[in-house]
Amino acid sequence: MTSGLLRRALVPVLGLLVVAALAYGAWRISYARALDGLAQRGWSDLALTTDRLTGQLQRYQDLAVMLVTHPALVGRLDGSVPQEEADALLLRAADRTGVMNMAYVDAEGHVLAAARPVSDSALPRSPAMPAYARALTGALGTSHGIDPALDRRAYYFAAPSFAAGGGVTGALLVAVNIDALEQEWRGERPAVFFTDTTGEVFVTNRSEILFWRRPEGSPGLVPATGPTPPFRAEVTGRGEELWHTDWGAYLPRTGLHLARDLPKIGLTGEALIETAPVRRIAALQAALVGLVGLAALGTFLWASQRRRVLARANALLETRVAARTAELSGTNLQLRREVAERQEAEAALKKAQADLVQAGKLSALGQMSAGISHELNQPLMAIRQFAENGTLLMERGRTEAAAQNLSRISELAERMGRIIRNLRAFAKQESSPVRPIDLTRAVETALEMTEARRAREGVTLDWSAPAGPIMALGGEVRLGQVLLNLMTNALDAMQGRETRHLTVAIDRGIGGRHRIRVADTGPGIAAPERIFDPFYTTKEVAAPEADGTGEEGMGLGLSISYGLVQSFGGRIRGRNLPQGGAEFTVELDRAPQEAAA
């Protein structure tokens, strides 16, 4: 027990250590990647700043080179041009270009012309002397320092002047005001400064560190006078140099130091990039990793606790399941027996329903039996009579008359065969799929089977066969059974009525369907909404008459007809007519070939 508690207590501690390690690793990786991106942006910023400074100085260098050959300056060497004219030329050029001063000096160091007064004796001590000395060698000279006359920082260019036969005869000195150049980009980010070969900051956009010097053997800077502020240099594992300083509010406390040598102007451009945003991004990413780790650790601890609780609950549940299994096994056996009994009962019910439907059809056959017997008896008696007459005619040699009797016998036999075929088709159960059938033929078959009863009961018929076949989708036998049932119901409804008139018509379909209408002059439908319900009937059970024409109502005829019409996608409806009587309508889809036509 004690070891288990100790193990569970160690898991959160180890998890916290892992999360802390992951957060620290995320911080290191994020910080290193962010420093790389910061260095790339810093190099770009430093390049832009150095290019801007060199571009600004380049203009004054070009000015010195182009103006040194001006005739007004060259004429000063032999005295052909007055000093006032040359001074005026240099003053106009200085005013238009913004330079601090311009002076034309001969090879001995005498000032021959100047935009502003310059002492000859001051030239050897001037910061421009190195540039002038290089110009006397025939090269373009540059130097920088504090201008003694104006006490300002100046950058000097010295362009040599050559004699016609060769040799240097003098030089044009141009002094550029560094303060004026710095005004354009002072205070911009990042902090940029330019140091000379002595390590002194000569140009910068941060005035706090102007004229600071780099001590020998140290990468940092110290002020020329006063106490030395804190400074610490750090080189990362990827080679970046970080400066930790406290040099003022406008200089980063921790900055990425970058340096670029500029031999063209004799300076080194350096930048100090603020790293605080990089550290914040790395800290946020590390915090995110830490939060995700803590969430994962919490989820793991919760899942572990939950698993232990579930294990205890599972053990208890298994005990209860084992106790319930035996009880359910007995119940399952009982349910299986009940299911088997219900399946047997359902099968018996379906068989009873099928038998009942067939009984309804046979009942209808029984109602028609008297009429069919009468219909078959007449052709049989006529066949007998024609056969006897034919024998006598043959004996008397009247072969033509005998042949006519034989033809009449053949017609009567065909009629009897047609009646028997219709009766057999009505009695059997059709299961063939829906196919194109002729509605006219189906109607005439049903009319032929009810012809004897109509004649016996004095029912008049209104039926006009359409010209040509009318094809619809259905089952020929099933449709015949439906039509025969509707006509039989119509005849039943008109028994005892003074007017007995049966109307049968076929309406060619509009919108893809044909319609068969069967109407009577009976009393109508008592409850049209229930007419297709099984076992609903308005007929009374009656004992069969002596001629076999008795009938009984089982309430299945219209229900069976409804199911048959539905089986091949049609629709059957019943309604009462305004003038009296009832009308049943059967709607069927048109056959594809007819619909295409």
Side-chain angles (χ1 to χ4, degrees):
M1 180 67 69
T2 304
S3 61
L5 292 174
L6 182 60
R7 184 170 58 254
R8 287 197 295 271
L10 286 176
V11 170
V13 176
L14 293 176
L16 290 174
L17 292 176
V18 171
V19 170
L22 290 175
Y24 177 72
W27 182 86
R28 290 293 302 270
I29 294 173
S30 176
Y31 186 57
R33 291 181 177 176
L35 275 181
D36 287 343
L38 185 66
Q40 292 178 3
R41 293 191 299 273
W43 282 117
S44 299
D45 293 339
L46 180 59
L48 289 175
T49 304
T50 55
D51 290 345
R52 179 164 57 179
L53 178 61
T54 55
Q56 290 172 328
L57 294 177
Q58 181 70 38
R59 292 181 301 172
Y60 301 109
Q61 174 183 312
D62 296 340
L63 174 64
V65 172
M66 290 186 296
L67 194 59
V68 71
T69 59
H70 194 281
L73 299 180
V74 176
R76 286 293 298 137
L77 294 173
D78 57 6
S80 59
V81 176
Q83 181 176 354
E84 291 78 7
E85 182 180 348
D87 289 346
L89 171 68
L90 294 180
L91 181 59
R92 287 195 303 273
D95 291 340
R96 293 177 181 178
T97 59
V99 298
M100 197 160 53
N101 200 359
M102 303 178 69
Y104 186 73
V105 185
D106 63 10
E108 285 75 25
H110 299 113
V111 177
L112 302 182
R116 295 177 178 85
V118 177
S119 174
D120 290 348
S121 61
L123 184 59
R125 300 189 304 273
S126 171
M129 190 60 193
Y132 170 71
R134 180 171 175 77
L136 293 182
T137 64
L140 179 68
T142 61
S143 61
H144 65 276
I146 304 298
D147 186 87
L150 301 176
D151 194 23
R152 293 180 181 178
R153 287 174 296 158
Y155 194 92
Y156 300 96
F157 291 99
S161 175
F162 297 98
V168 177
T169 60
L172 177 63
L173 297 178
V174 177
V176 181
N177 188 356
I178 297 298
D179 289 335
L181 295 182
E182 284 182 350
Q183 292 297 329
E184 299 181 11
W185 43 281
R186 183 167 294 167
E188 294 183 356
R189 292 182 181 274
V192 179
F193 52 94
F194 296 84
T195 58
D196 56 18
T197 56
T198 65
E200 183 182 49
V201 177
F202 187 71
V203 182
T204 180
N205 61 357
R206 297 292 186 272
S207 58
E208 297 95 322
I209 59 174
L210 186 61
F211 300 127
W212 285 27
R213 294 180 177 275
R214 177 170 286 117
E216 186 175 354
S218 173
L221 300 173
V222 296
T225 60
T228 301
F231 171 80
R232 181 173 59 88
E234 175 190 357
V235 179
T236 65
R238 303 170 66 92
E240 293 94 350
E241 184 180 4
L242 299 178
W243 283 10
H244 303 276
T245 68
D246 188 9
W247 292 350
Y250 300 102
L251 288 161
R253 290 185 175 274
T254 300
L256 177 64
H257 177 253
L258 304 175
R260 180 184 182 187
D261 191 26
L262 304 173
K264 186 175 182 180
I265 60 175
L267 299 175
T268 299
E270 302 182 46
L272 202 57
I273 315 297
E274 177 65 71
T275 60
V278 171
R279 293 196 303 274
R280 285 195 295 269
I281 292 174
L284 288 175
Q285 293 183 351
L288 179 61
V289 172
L291 289 176
V292 173
L294 289 175
L297 178 61
T299 303
F300 172 75
L301 294 176
W302 176 84
S304 300
Q305 180 65 23
R306 183 68 175 169
R307 186 170 60 252
R308 287 193 295 271
V309 173
L310 290 177
R312 290 194 295 268
N314 186 53
L316 180 60
L317 182 61
E318 287 181 354
T319 303
R320 294 180 178 178
V321 168
R324 291 284 296 170
T325 300
E327 181 182 351
L328 292 176
S329 298
T331 305
N332 189 35
L333 292 176
Q334 180 66 24
L335 289 176
R336 288 182 180 178
R337 286 195 293 269
E338 292 180 3
V339 169
E341 292 174 358
R342 292 186 181 183
Q343 288 177 346
E344 293 175 0
E346 184 179 356
L349 178 61
K350 289 182 178 179
K351 184 176 183 303
Q353 289 176 344
D355 293 343
L356 194 57
V357 172
Q358 189 65 13
K361 293 167 60 178
L362 295 177
S363 174
L365 285 175
Q367 296 176 22
M368 295 185 296
S369 60
I372 294 173
S373 298
H374 178 74
E375 189 71 18
L376 293 177
N377 189 44
Q378 286 184 344
L380 286 174
M381 293 177 62
I383 288 173
R384 181 179 177 182
Q385 185 66 36
F386 283 132
E388 291 176 353
N389 292 339
T391 302
L392 293 176
L393 291 173
M394 290 292 290
E395 291 176 355
R396 297 175 183 177
R398 297 175 60 185
T399 57
E400 292 182 2
Q404 292 179 359
N405 286 352
L406 292 176
S407 297
R408 295 294 303 275
I409 290 172
S410 176
E411 293 174 359
L412 292 171
E414 175 62 25
R415 179 181 178 187
M416 292 174 61
R418 188 166 59 252
I419 294 172
I420 292 172
R421 284 195 304 271
N422 293 335
L423 188 62
R424 291 177 61 189
F426 178 75
K428 72 179 183 178
Q429 297 186 9
E430 181 188 50
S431 61
S432 59
V434 175
R435 60 185 179 83
I437 59 172
D438 185 1
L439 299 185
T440 304
R441 179 178 174 183
V443 171
E444 290 182 343
T445 299
L447 290 173
E448 188 173 6
M449 295 185 68
T450 59
E451 181 179 358
R453 183 177 176 183
R454 293 198 313 273
R456 183 175 68 252
E457 297 180 1
V459 177
T460 60
L461 175 66
D462 182 5
W463 160 250
S464 297
I470 299 179
M471 307 302 293
L473 294 177
E476 185 174 0
V477 174
R478 286 175 284 176
L479 181 60
Q481 294 171 359
V482 172
L483 295 176
L484 181 59
N485 183 62
L486 295 179
M487 294 178 187
T488 302
N489 286 346
L491 296 176
D492 292 342
M494 291 186 293
Q495 282 186 347
R497 307 284 292 186
E498 182 178 352
T499 301
R500 294 185 292 276
H501 186 73
L502 179 66
T503 302
V504 181
I506 298 178
D507 299 330
R508 290 188 178 273
I510 299 175
R513 285 196 163 189
H514 296 308
R515 182 171 60 184
I516 304 174
R517 293 186 288 109
V518 179
D520 60 55
T521 58
I525 306 170
E529 69 279 359
R530 298 185 56 198
I531 195 66
F532 295 110
D533 294 345
F535 303 107
Y536 172 76
T537 180
T538 59
K539 300 179 184 178
E540 297 180 355
V541 178
E545 301 289 345
D547 60 356
T549 61
E551 63 182 39
E552 59 177 347
M554 298 179 64
L556 290 174
L558 290 177
S559 178
I560 294 172
S561 299
Y562 183 85
L564 292 176
V565 174
Q566 290 285 331
S567 67
F568 37 76
R571 183 170 64 173
I572 182 171
R573 292 181 294 177
R575 69 184 183 98
N576 291 320
L577 296 174
Q579 67 272 21
E583 181 185 67
F584 285 86
T585 304
V586 177
E587 294 182 359
L588 299 174
D589 292 331
R590 299 171 61 183
Q593 60 269 28
E594 186 179 78

